[in-house]
């Protein structure tokens, strides 16, 4: 059953959907890391988890200033996850195939966030944003 709620509009955003898919992929890759690497794996999963959460939280704030702030948090979390991917590939903890697939996903998310931020900044400049329901 589809639930309709204006506060859930972020679910229609491709970048949010991509962030959910990236989280699912990240969990699949990192959940079976050896015990001694559980903290590192959990940190990577948590960082990726915060991408979609920040998109949703910013959307729910309804203030353009806060929405942009949370989208920038999401972009920062994406950067953090990329840094981790590079470190794990360099240390041999990720295969080249795993790295390339995940890097391509987060690259798409980063660009989607940048486009969304730019479009909202345009609305901010033009004064066309509505801060109410």
């Amino acid at each position: 059953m589809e639930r309709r709620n204006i506060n859930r509009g972020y679910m229609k955003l491709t970048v949010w959907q991509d962030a959910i898919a990236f989280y699912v992929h990240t969990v699949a890759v990192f959940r079976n890391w050896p015990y001694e690497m559980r903290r590192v794996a959990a940190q990577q999963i948590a960082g990726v988890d915060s991408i979609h959460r920040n998109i949703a939280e910013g959307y729910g704030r309804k203030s353009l200033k806060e929405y942009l702030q949370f989208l920038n948090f999401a972009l920062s979390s994406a950067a953090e996850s990329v840094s981790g991917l590079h470190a794990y590939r360099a240390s041999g903890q990720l295969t080249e195939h795993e790295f390339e697939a995940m890097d391509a996903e987060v690259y798409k998310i980063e660009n989607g966030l940048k486009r969304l931020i730019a479009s909202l900044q345009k609305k901010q400049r033009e004064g066309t944003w509505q801060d109410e329901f």
Side-chain angles (χ1 to χ4, degrees):
M1 173 171 155
E2 182 182 349
R3 292 179 179 88
R4 292 182 178 210
N5 181 326
I6 194 166
N7 200 47
R8 294 186 182 189
Y10 61 86
M11 293 178 167
K12 295 178 184 177
L13 297 172
T14 302
V15 69
W16 180 83
Q17 295 167 6
D18 291 343
I20 292 288
F22 183 49
Y23 172 77
V24 170
H25 188 186
T26 299
V27 169
V29 169
F30 286 87
R31 88 170 90 197
N32 293 321
W33 274 31
Y35 178 78
E36 63 273 8
M37 296 305 298
R38 296 307 284 172
R39 185 187 62 76
V40 172
Q43 186 174 352
Q44 182 70 11
I45 292 168
V48 169
D49 186 43
S50 70
I51 299 170
H52 69 87
R53 289 176 177 275
N54 279 304
I55 295 167
E57 185 169 356
Y59 185 93
R61 295 293 179 118
K62 292 301 174 206
S63 155
L64 182 56
K65 181 180 177 184
E66 287 181 295
Y67 191 13
L68 287 167
Q69 180 181 20
F70 278 89
L71 291 175
N72 279 297
F73 292 158
L75 195 55
S76 297
S77 293
E80 177 186 5
S81 75
V82 170
S83 180
L85 293 176
H86 280 274
Y88 308 141
R89 178 182 64 172
S91 67
Q93 294 167 296
L94 282 182
T95 66
E96 191 63 28
H97 175 74
E98 289 170 327
F99 171 83
E100 288 298 332
M102 295 178 87
D103 188 55
E105 283 180 284
V106 74
Y107 182 81
K108 182 179 178 187
I109 292 165
E110 288 171 314
N111 285 319
L113 284 167
K114 288 178 182 180
R115 283 190 303 273
L116 180 55
I117 289 167
S119 77
L120 292 173
Q121 287 171 332
K122 181 179 179 198
K123 288 181 181 205
Q124 188 176 43
R125 281 190 309 275
E126 295 171 349
T128 58
W129 175 264
Q130 298 292 323
D131 271 352
E132 64 239 8
F133 288 108

